[in-house]
Amino acid sequence: MGIRPAGLILLLLLLCTPLYAGMDENHYTLEDGDTLHKGRGALLLLGGYPRSGLAFSAAPWKYVNVGFRMEMEYDPSFDLAVPFKFQMLESDNERLNLALTLAPSFYALFLEDDYDVSFRLKPGVAAGWRFYRGLTYFLSAEYMAVFPVSAKAEWAHYPLLGTGFEIPLPRHVNLIFKGLVEFRDYAPDAFVYGGYFGIAVGLWK
């Protein structure tokens, strides 16, 4: 009996009118294929495994986001990226969205007697399905290419997948729950599974 009401509520969310599926000036999302309103920005604090970090995104033009993202793994290693997002698709009711992403970055791993430095390029796609205003299910697919800079670094390439929910709260604050898997070396023993919890704050003009 308890499952039927939950199923009915989910069905109503899926069939809700475009008015409720759409976004207004007080809602935004960061992890799906949507971009911020032109001239606005958002700050993201994230924590989890295999990394935690801080990110900033801004919209200098319509349908384009650019910013920076600094992440730290627990090796310890640091990754400083300049992510771009180019929105390619948005349905009439603003429920479905799709974007191309690109994140060039500088990576440094500190070893006991040496260091590992590389340049990384991560093209991908991000998509989202909006249930109610800013409440969104998102999915991302990226491909990591690692170009060695130091002697210890090695050339590598592998896909990454991520999925989760972004939940809006009052006063331009979003909660993000994301799971991810990195198919490193295409070897099951080397795959990395993880995720993070994030708090995003919209910075309006």
Side-chain angles (χ1 to χ4, degrees), residues 10-157:
L10 179 60
L11 180 62
L12 290 173
L13 287 174
L14 291 173
L15 297 176
C16 59
T17 64
L19 173 64
Y20 293 106
M23 298 283 278
D24 60 32
E25 292 296 315
N26 295 319
H27 293 91
Y28 66 97
T29 49
L30 296 179
E31 293 288 342
D32 62 357
D34 196 20
T35 51
L36 297 166
H37 292 288
K38 181 180 177 181
R40 294 186 169 180
L43 189 66
L44 170 64
L45 179 65
L46 58 95
Y49 178 84
R51 60 187 66 88
S52 297
L54 179 71
F56 170 76
S57 294
W61 307 285
K62 189 176 182 180
Y63 302 129
V64 177
N65 278 6
V66 64
F68 73 86
R69 190 178 185 106
M70 182 179 63
E71 296 181 338
M72 180 186 70
E73 295 186 3
Y74 308 110
D75 303 337
S77 63
F78 297 90
D79 188 84
L80 183 60
V82 181
F84 296 86
K85 182 192 287 187
F86 307 94
Q87 187 170 356
M88 307 300 293
L89 171 68
E90 184 176 63
S91 62
D92 291 339
N93 60 8
E94 300 183 9
R95 182 175 291 183
L96 176 66
N97 53 58
L98 176 70
L100 300 179
T101 62
L102 181 65
S105 69
F106 175 81
Y107 173 87
L109 167 64
F110 300 97
L111 307 172
E112 289 185 3
D113 56 353
D114 208 339
Y115 55 88
D116 177 343
V117 178
S118 60
F119 172 75
R120 299 185 169 198
L121 196 60
K122 192 165 53 174
V125 295
W129 177 266
R130 189 163 298 121
F131 292 97
Y132 179 84
R133 294 190 184 273
L135 176 58
T136 302
Y137 169 73
F138 61 84
L139 178 67
S140 63
E142 300 168 301
Y143 201 88
M144 176 75 80
V146 180
F147 302 91
V149 174
S150 68
K152 286 286 185 179
E154 296 181 355
W155 157 253
H157 59 94

Side-chain angles (χ1 to χ4, degrees), residues 166-189:
E166 187 160 355
I167 304 168
L169 298 178
R171 296 187 180 278
H172 308 153
V173 176
N174 287 5
L175 300 182
I176 300 173
F177 300 88
K178 182 174 183 177
L180 59 88
V181 56
E182 301 177 358
F183 300 95
R184 297 186 182 181
D185 299 327
Y186 292 92
D189 292 342

